[in-house]
Amino acid sequence: MAPETAISGYDAFMSYIQLAKPFVEQGGGEILLVGKGDRFLIGPENGQWDICMLIKQKSVSDFFAFEQNPDYMKITGHRSASILDSRLLPLEMLSF
């Protein structure tokens, strides 16, 4: 799984996204956004996020269902190698 030459965490995460995308879509999900982050406008002064990804899914359980796929589990090393810290925040769309 390791690349022949050293790559950045960013490149490792982009590889992970490309490999994970079919599993997300197979479960009825869709990657809506992958965006470059920076420092918070409102938040801790020393806090920042390099990348944010927004995935649309029918439910949290549908989102997690792909994690049980043995083929998906083979690519999780790319994700682990690419990040120092992460957050997973489920959101529910509201009507307004």
Side-chain angles (χ1 to χ4, degrees):
M1 180 184 322
E4 292 182 21
T5 60
I7 61 173
S8 69
Y10 174 86
D11 289 335
F13 194 72
M14 290 298 126
S15 294
Y16 164 74
I17 291 171
Q18 291 305 313
L19 293 169
K21 184 178 176 183
F23 296 103
V24 171
E25 292 173 346
Q26 183 180 24
E30 178 184 3
I31 298 174
L32 298 177
L33 170 82
V34 176
K36 181 182 179 295
D38 203 345
R39 297 200 177 279
F40 292 115
L41 293 177
I42 299 174
E45 287 184 29
N46 60 351
Q48 77 178 58
W49 289 100
D50 297 84
I51 296 175
C52 181
M53 181 165 50
L54 179 62
I55 296 176
K56 181 180 180 181
Q57 188 56 271
K58 295 176 195 170
S59 69
V60 173
S61 60
D62 285 341
F63 176 80
F64 283 117
F66 74 87
E67 284 192 320
Q68 305 305 315
N69 184 318
D71 290 328
Y72 170 76
M73 295 170 112
K74 293 176 185 175
I75 68 161
T76 59
H78 290 289
R79 183 180 184 279
S80 299
S82 66
I83 60 174
L84 293 174
D85 191 10
S86 66
R87 301 289 186 272
L88 181 59
L89 175 62
L91 303 171
E92 183 178 339
M93 187 177 291
L94 301 174
S95 299
F96 60 95

